[in-house]
Structures are given as C-alpha cells and as structure tokens.
Amino acid sequence: MTDLPTEMTYVRAEGDGGPEVLVPARGPVPAPGEGEVLIEVAAAGVNRPDVMQRKGMYPPPPGAPETLGLEVAGRVAALGAGVTDLKVGDQVCALLTGGGYAEYAVAPAAVCLPVPEGLSLTEAAALPETFFTVWTNVFERAGLKEGQSFLVHGGTSGIGTTAIQLAVARGATAYATAGGPEKAAFCETLGAKRGIDYRSEDFQAVLKEETGGKGVNVILDMVGGEYTNKNIKSLAPDGVLVQIAFMQGPKVQIDLTPIMLKRLTVTGSTLRARPTAQKAKIAEALKREALPLVAAGKAKPIVHATFPLEKAADAHRLMEESSHMGKIVLTTTKA
C-alpha cells in the first residue's frame, strides 16, 4: 500500500476519568520499526485493562503507545525492516501493547496471527487478547489436559467465553461462574457442563457436588479477594490456581494448609509487559494448536456489540455496566 495517509483518526484520553474523557482526535500515522508492521485497522477489541488505564490505574509499560487498545484486526499496510513472513495486503489480527484505538496501528510481526477462515475482521479483532491470555495461562502455565476439569470465573467475559470453548474443544470438562441465570445458561451454550450463577449459588458447593468431592484440576480467576480461599478449597489434589486479575483487590489472607496437603500450585501472570519474544512463542503455539480449532468451528470469538471508533466512550460505558456477554469491539470504515 503506497498511498498511505499522513494523518489518521484515533481516540485520545483527555486525562484520567470516566468514559467521557475518550474523544476522537487527529494525529500522525505511525511508522513501523524493524520487525514491525503497520496495520490498517478495521476493528479493535475493547478490554478491561483499557478501562483501568483510562482511569489512571494501569499505566502502559515503558515504550508502549499512550493510546488505548491492546488488539486489532485489519490489513497489513506497510512493512518494517526485516519483515519477510508477511506482505502488504495480508489480513491479520495482532496483540498490541497499546495504540489499537486508531485507524492505523503498529505491531511486531511476530505477534500477528492470520485471520482464521470464516471469521470477519470484526470477530478477529476480539481474538488476540483473550486467546493469548487463555492459552498461556490455562494450557501452558496450568497444563490443563484432556479428561481434566476446569473452572473459569466470569464465564461471559471475553476471557471466559474463550476459556470455556478452548477447554471443551481440547477435551476438558468446563465449569463457569457468571452473574445471573441468563449468563449462567449462556456459558452452557458455549460448552460448559454447568454455568454457576454466583448471585444465587455458592460455586464451591456446586463444584463439590458436580465433581463428587474431588474438585477441579485448574481454576482461572480474575476476581481475587474472597474468591481466593474458596478457589483453593475447590481444587483437586495437584490442582492449579491461575490468577490473572483481582477485581476484588490484590491482598488476601489465605490458609496454606490445603495448599500443602493437596500439593496445589498457586500462580499467575500478566501479558502486556512481557517481551515480544515471549509473546511470539505464544503466537506460534496459537497458530499450531488453537487457530485450527477456530477454523474448524470448535471455538470462536464471541462479539456482543460493536461501536464506531469515535464512540469509544459508549463502548466503555457498556463494559462498565458488565451486562455484556462476549467482547465489545470498535470498528472503523475499513471493517
């Protein structure tokens, strides 16, 4: 693409605060550096960390763009030096450290994924953040295997809907918590054996009954707080608890006894600040193990709603209502 514009529309945060601080603005089109590509953005995923950054609670890592947006899908518009495995015009989706709420974004070529056959660019924009996160935490760190059991909290979130589908597609039994009977039932339509309404049910008691007292092998948690000890009690011997967020706060008091007696592993990770080389390894695993499942129709990003890029504030309002089931996506005129 040789006729690149010099300016683009992007979404700027006018200080820290509520959704209203997100406003459309004009700025220069970024240039790809060595090993990077410039993507003409068709769609960008909206994620909970974007909300935290907007509030001033999650600053971008050193060197990352100040603009929000951790994932995009679109077409490769230009290649940086040394990029040989992609070409201008390729449809890709990519994990970013920032800069996705824009008409153009730069991404390392090594973390770009091909858009799976059958997915629109809007759907593909909802894939990277959740698939990278679920794969590295559930299957690499926790080692979930065929025949094992798995619980994800927040089953109707982007992470939750992805985790349920990938776990089931790879032969595990999935359980999920969600807020309300409608959301719990939605988890079951995605393949969960049991959706648990945390507003009216105790997930620890439900899992004890469902597993005959054995507990589950892996738990993926984004809640923290009072969930932590219940998670530990809900794990089977040699089970793994993976913490990737803490909506109820990062500090908890835990009983070490069940960890010792059941030989449990309590771990966690973040993704955004990891070196590109680490993310590239996850990307290769996704190409090999997860994207074929998407192409086969066994897993896909669930898009709840789309908003034009200029309406990013409205997208954030919807996310903070927590009424959505699946991902929220911003679209440009290229979608």
Side-chain angles (χ1 to χ4, degrees):
M1 194 174 298
T2 56
D3 55 344
L4 285 173
T6 57
E7 281 200 341
M8 65 176 184
T9 297
Y10 72 102
V11 174
R12 183 164 62 92
E14 295 186 326
D16 302 333
E20 68 278 357
V21 304
L22 299 180
V23 296
R26 296 288 292 175
V29 172
E34 184 173 357
E36 295 179 332
V37 297
L38 178 68
I39 299 172
E40 182 183 46
V41 176
V46 177
N47 293 282
R48 191 71 61 175
D50 300 340
V51 173
M52 294 172 60
Q53 182 175 330
R54 189 203 74 219
K55 293 179 176 180
M57 300 166 61
Y58 186 43
E66 291 291 330
T67 306
L68 300 178
L70 300 176
E71 59 185 347
V72 297
R75 298 166 185 85
V76 175
L79 306 177
V83 176
T84 57
D85 53 349
L86 290 171
K87 62 183 185 298
V88 171
D90 283 350
Q91 290 195 349
V92 296
C93 55
L95 187 71
L96 311 177
T97 55
Y101 290 15
E103 291 181 315
Y104 289 87
V106 167
V111 299
C112 291
L113 301 173
V115 174
E117 186 176 349
L119 285 195
S120 67
L121 287 174
T122 300
E123 291 172 316
L127 187 151
E129 177 71 15
T130 60
F131 274 64
F132 271 81
T133 299
V134 170
W135 185 265
T136 188
N137 286 290
V138 175
F139 299 102
E140 293 183 341
R141 295 193 70 78
L144 182 67
K145 297 176 178 62
E146 181 179 356
Q148 291 189 326
S149 54
F150 167 68
L151 168 69
V152 61
H153 291 295
T156 57
S157 66
I159 295 290
T161 54
T162 299
I164 292 168
Q165 293 179 86
L166 288 182
V168 172
R170 291 176 61 83
T173 299
Y175 302 94
T177 63
E182 182 185 4
K183 286 189 172 185
F186 184 72
C187 293
E188 293 177 3
T189 69
L190 295 176
K193 182 181 178 185
R194 177 76 149 79
I196 304 166
D197 176 9
Y198 66 75
R199 293 176 181 169
S200 62
E201 298 180 290
D202 179 344
F203 75 82
Q204 184 184 340
V206 172
L207 289 178
K208 184 176 182 180
E209 181 179 354
E210 286 282 331
T211 64
K214 295 177 183 177
V216 294
N217 301 107
V218 174
I219 296 177
L220 183 65
D221 185 37
M222 298 162 270
V223 182
E226 65 180 20
Y227 274 35
T228 307
N229 279 299
K230 296 178 71 173
N231 285 332
I232 289 170
K233 291 175 182 177
S234 298
L235 283 168
D238 298 303
V240 183
L241 168 61
V242 190
Q243 203 74 41
I244 58 169
F246 37 78
M247 294 178 71
Q248 285 190 6
K251 295 183 179 180
V252 295
Q253 193 169 38
I254 63 173
D255 181 359
L256 296 174
T257 306
I259 295 176
M260 296 165 63
L261 291 177
K262 295 196 288 183
R263 305 173 301 280
L264 305 179
T265 299
V266 178
T267 184
S269 77
T270 59
L271 182 62
R272 189 179 188 184
R274 286 203 208 180
T276 297
Q278 289 187 15
K279 296 175 185 175
K281 288 183 178 179
I282 303 170
E284 288 304 313
L286 289 173
K287 291 175 188 176
R288 186 176 63 249
E289 304 286 350
L291 296 192
L293 297 174
V294 178
K298 295 181 179 179
K300 66 178 291 185
I302 306 297
V303 176
H304 175 85
T306 63
F307 292 83
L309 177 65
E310 294 82 359
K311 300 289 186 181
D314 291 337
H316 275 229
R317 290 186 184 97
L318 175 59
M319 172 156 279
E320 290 187 276
E321 290 173 6
S322 292
S323 60
H324 58 289
M325 292 187 282
K327 294 292 290 277
I328 301 168
V329 176
L330 302 175
T331 59
T332 74
T333 57
K334 305 297 183 180

